[in-house]
Structures are given as structure tokens and as C-alpha cells.
Amino acid sequence: MFHKTNLQDWEAVVQKQLKTDDIYSVLSKENLEGILIKPYYDKVSKPLENLPKVAESTHLVSAYHESSEDNAFAFLLDHNVEGLMEKALFVNNKDLAEHISLEEENTYFSLIDLFSEDEKGEINEQLGKELLAKNFNRNIGINVALHQNAGASIVQQLAYSLGKAKELTEIFGAEILKKIVFRVALGSNYFFEIGKIRALKLVFNQLSKEFGFDEIPFIFAETSLRNKSKSDAENNLIRSTLELSAAMIGGADAVFSNDYKMENAGSLSEEISFKQQVVLAYESIINVFDDAGNGSYYIENLTKQFAEKSWKLFLEMEDEGGYCTLLKTGKIQKDIYEQALKEQNWVAEGKIKLIGVNLYPKLEVTKTAEEMYDPSKITVVRLAEMFE
């Protein structure tokens, strides 16, 4: 039998090792999310129930290549490919969605987002109607990977996911909640990103209950571009592996690896990027669990904090007119800009460490944080661009 260590026992050991009674000031760690992190967890109040996913087993999604047709069972499609059978196909191009010929043996998911993401604050209703007329398993994409890559916080990403879903219900009716794919990008903060995926399940389910449903979100998770560097591809590969692992443990329904090479990418680097998923899935089998993070005190605590904070922000957005209205006023763009600037300055100050970029750097600073961002636009910006 293992001896259970209570909080007081742990504190006594750490006080002795650190030679101070004030251990929490030493062990506390600031974060950009405003999340309270404790150095030790011995319980969780009101444990969460298992947070299921839609897919029975996480789809390992590859960019399409003829050579991978026999070995991959899910593809991200930007152009039409005929003759595929018994595949899960994630349609990533609105022109393709309009003309793709459907095979009964395949399953189809749309990643196409209808929002303009600019000061126009528009939703392409006609495109939405055309997509909903298709015999897809899921017809409409909600892209918040863009927001993550532009520098939005996790709380903002989750609130924007809900805001966009709510806008769609007002145009297409509440049934649209059953036809959405959430596209998210995962960064390097491993446990935070696991909590993000799980929190999205909580808050979306809560939103669906407002309309009389009990829905689970379908989550397509991809590796981030924000923390990748042109000059350090090997470290990009390590970061992507952690991001994919977080997605699977968090319970994503599909995962996709963007090419780990920012320059000189090719079929080999694309294949290596995809095979990260294969190794994780077949060596650890984490892709088959509904909710592998369930029962972890730390992850449960993070999940609840992200869910509570993002729901609060979502309600504040609704009080101010909703997601599209806030795009038109420029508030969404400005909020992301301010958050991105904080993160970039943390990189400049060394509070966020990127090996090969600002830790053991190969390059010198070439531009300031203010030069990298535009407060009026939601634009993908890599943190390493400061040094490139």
C-alpha cells in the first residue's frame, strides 16, 4: 500500500529542502492566463465526470499524398481526390466543398469557417446554406486556430469559440450546434492545452443546454505555428510532439501536424510530421481514450478555471452585442493584439523560453514586439519572428 502524503507533510519536507518557511512565494509561477497554479494538489472539489469525445478513436489526419493512401485513414483535403474509400476526409477549401463528389464509403467533415474575421464582421450565409445542403457528417467549421496563432489567450480562444457558435445559431437555428467542427491550435504549455480541450467540451455542452440539447463538440486539433522557428526545425519537432500528445490526452476527435519545417519543407518533412501522430497513437494508445486526463487533480483544476473564465468572458461579449459586433468595433482585434503583445514581451524578457530562439539563441533581436503586430487585424505571427 502507498502511504498518502497530506498537504502538511509535503509542506514540511519542502520547507526543509528550500530552507524557508515562505515556500509558496518561491514556488509560485506567474502565467499570462491569470490562472491560479498551486505547487501541490492532493484533492479536487467536485470531480468532473468523464468528458467524452465524438469519435470512437482520434482521427490521425494526414495531408494527402498518393504514397500515403494505403497507410493513412484520414486526410486533410485542399483539392479533389477521387477513388478514396473508407477514409475520413476533412475538407479545407470552400471551392472543393462546393464541387466534391461524395462516396458513401467515406465520412466527410468541413473545416470551412464562415466568418470574415475583420472589421466587416460578416458571416457568409450563402456558403453556409450550401455546406449544410451537403451530406457531410459535420458541415461547418469554427476556426479558432487562427486566434491562437495570432496570440489570443486560451480564455479568449474558448470564449470566441462560443461566441462564433452562438452567432451561427442565430442565423441557421440551434440544430447547427450538432453540425460544427471546432478547429483549434495547441501551444507548448502542455497541461494548459490539455485543460483547454477539456474546458471546450464543458462550455460547449453548457451552451448547447441553453438550447435544450446535450451536445459534445467535435474538436479538430492541430499543432501551433506560433511557437515555431525557421532556424531550429528539430526543436519545432519536439514542440509539435508535445502539442499532439496534449490534444490526444485532452480528448480531441482529430489531430493534424503542420509541417515542422518553416523553410525548405518537402514531402519528407511532411511525412515525418504526420508520423509523430502514428508513434504517439500506436506506442502509447492515447488516441483511444475518451478522457485520459480525467482524475488528475491538476488537470481537473485547470479545466474548471478555464471553463469558468471563458464562460464569463463569453457572457460579457454577448452583453456587448456578440462576436460579430465586437469584430466590427475592433474590440476582438484589439484584445488579441494586447494579449499577443504581452506574450511577445515575455519572450523578449526571457520569461517565456524558446530553445534556440531566446534561450541559447542563434540569432539576435531584429524587431520590437510593437513592430510585429497590428491592433486592427487578426494575423498569424510567430514569436520567433522577433529574432529572424
Side-chain angles (χ1 to χ4, degrees):
M1 293 290 292
F2 291 104
H3 172 68
K4 180 173 174 58
T5 302
N6 61 36
L7 179 59
Q8 291 72 29
D9 293 338
W10 177 85
E11 287 175 332
V13 171
V14 177
Q15 285 170 352
K16 183 178 179 181
Q17 291 178 339
L18 294 180
K19 298 181 175 61
T20 177
D21 291 335
D22 189 16
I23 61 174
Y24 288 99
S25 65
V26 176
L27 297 175
S28 63
K29 188 176 181 181
E30 189 181 6
N31 63 81
L32 287 166
E33 298 287 343
I35 295 294
L36 176 63
I37 302 297
K38 298 189 294 184
Y40 180 82
Y41 293 83
D42 63 342
K43 61 183 177 180
V44 61
S45 61
K46 297 182 180 178
L48 294 171
E49 295 181 2
N50 191 64
L51 300 175
K53 59 188 181 187
V54 177
E56 183 177 347
S57 181
T58 302
H59 295 289
L60 309 180
V61 184
S62 170
Y64 178 78
H65 289 292
E66 191 173 341
S67 59
S68 62
E69 189 172 319
D70 294 333
N71 300 319
F73 300 96
F75 291 109
L76 181 73
L77 292 186
D78 287 300
H79 59 277
N80 200 20
V81 179
E82 296 182 352
L84 293 175
M85 294 293 182
E86 298 183 356
K87 306 292 184 184
L89 303 177
F90 292 83
V91 180
N92 195 39
N93 179 317
K94 70 180 182 68
D95 294 325
L96 170 59
E98 292 172 2
H99 303 103
I100 192 169
S101 55
L102 305 182
E103 300 286 347
E104 289 184 3
E105 293 83 357
N106 297 329
T107 53
Y108 296 85
F109 303 87
S110 169
L111 297 177
I112 299 160
D113 190 294
L114 306 181
F115 291 78
S116 65
E117 302 296 0
D118 57 21
E119 70 282 353
K120 294 178 182 178
E122 294 177 344
I123 298 175
N124 191 333
E125 293 186 37
Q126 182 57 39
L127 177 59
K129 291 175 183 177
E130 292 172 5
L131 290 170
L132 289 169
K134 300 288 182 182
N135 189 25
F136 286 3
N137 288 54
R138 299 264 168 164
N139 303 69
I140 304 289
I142 288 183
N143 183 4
V144 284
L146 167 66
H147 302 82
Q148 192 277 339
N149 282 307
S153 70
I154 288 174
V155 172
Q156 287 171 330
Q157 293 166 51
L158 294 171
Y160 298 160
S161 299
L162 295 178
K164 295 176 79 169
K166 173 65 163 41
E167 295 278 0
L168 291 177
T169 65
E170 293 177 357
I171 295 174
F172 301 107
E175 287 288 331
I176 193 72
L177 296 174
K178 301 179 180 182
K179 301 176 181 180
I180 290 171
V181 176
F182 287 97
R183 184 174 190 168
V184 302
L186 277 73
S188 295
N189 198 332
Y190 188 66
F191 291 106
F192 276 35
E193 295 295 343
I194 294 172
K196 177 172 83 177
I197 296 287
R198 298 179 80 244
L200 178 53
K201 296 186 180 195
L202 277 180
V203 293
F204 179 75
N205 182 254
Q206 187 172 347
L207 177 68
S208 76
K209 287 179 177 177
E210 298 291 327
F211 294 93
F213 300 127
D214 189 17
E215 290 300 306
I216 304 164
F218 189 102
I219 302 173
F220 177 98
E222 63 184 70
T223 57
S224 178
L225 300 174
R226 184 154 175 79
N227 57 10
K228 305 304 186 293
S229 166
K230 288 182 180 180
S231 63
D232 211 19
E234 292 77 11
N235 278 320
N236 290 344
L237 197 58
I238 295 170
R239 293 179 188 116
S240 294
T241 302
L242 290 171
E243 292 157 16
L244 292 167
S245 173
M248 292 184 192
I249 290 174
D253 296 283
V255 293
F256 177 73
S257 315
N258 286 299
D259 200 311
Y260 72 96
K261 283 193 172 183
M262 297 291 101
E263 289 185 327
N264 303 316
S267 58
L268 178 59
S269 61
E270 201 169 71
E271 182 180 357
I272 291 171
S273 296
F274 170 65
K275 286 187 173 175
Q276 290 176 279
Q277 304 172 30
V278 177
V279 171
L280 283 168
Y282 289 97
E283 294 296 327
S284 64
I285 326 178
I286 55 176
N287 63 314
V288 302
F289 294 102
D290 265 353
D291 188 8
N294 186 275
S296 163
Y297 300 148
Y298 179 39
I299 293 174
E300 293 277 279
N301 187 279
L302 289 176
T303 302
K304 288 182 178 181
Q305 287 193 66
F306 281 131
E308 289 167 2
K309 285 179 175 289
S310 60
W311 186 260
K312 181 173 181 288
L313 178 56
F314 164 64
L315 293 180
E316 290 171 359
M317 290 167 52
E318 289 300 298
D319 286 342
E320 295 178 51
Y323 184 79
C324 287
T325 295
L326 294 176
L327 277 176
K328 291 173 183 176
T329 64
K331 189 176 189 307
I332 297 287
Q333 298 91 316
K334 185 173 181 289
D335 288 348
I336 293 175
Y337 167 78
E338 291 175 351
Q339 181 70 24
L341 215 57
K342 288 179 190 175
E343 186 180 26
Q344 193 70 55
N345 284 323
W346 273 35
V347 171
E349 295 164 13
K351 290 182 179 179
I352 294 175
K353 295 177 172 58
L354 294 175
I355 294 174
V357 178
N358 66 347
L359 183 66
Y360 316 119
K362 296 180 180 180
L363 301 169
E364 298 296 326
V365 173
T366 60
K367 60 186 77 170
T368 66
E370 288 75 13
E371 291 173 326
M372 297 172 64
Y373 298 91
D374 185 336
S376 65
K377 294 180 180 178
I378 304 174
T379 309
V380 174
V381 181
R382 291 180 300 104
L383 295 167
E385 291 178 37
M386 174 176 272
F387 301 85
E388 294 173 346

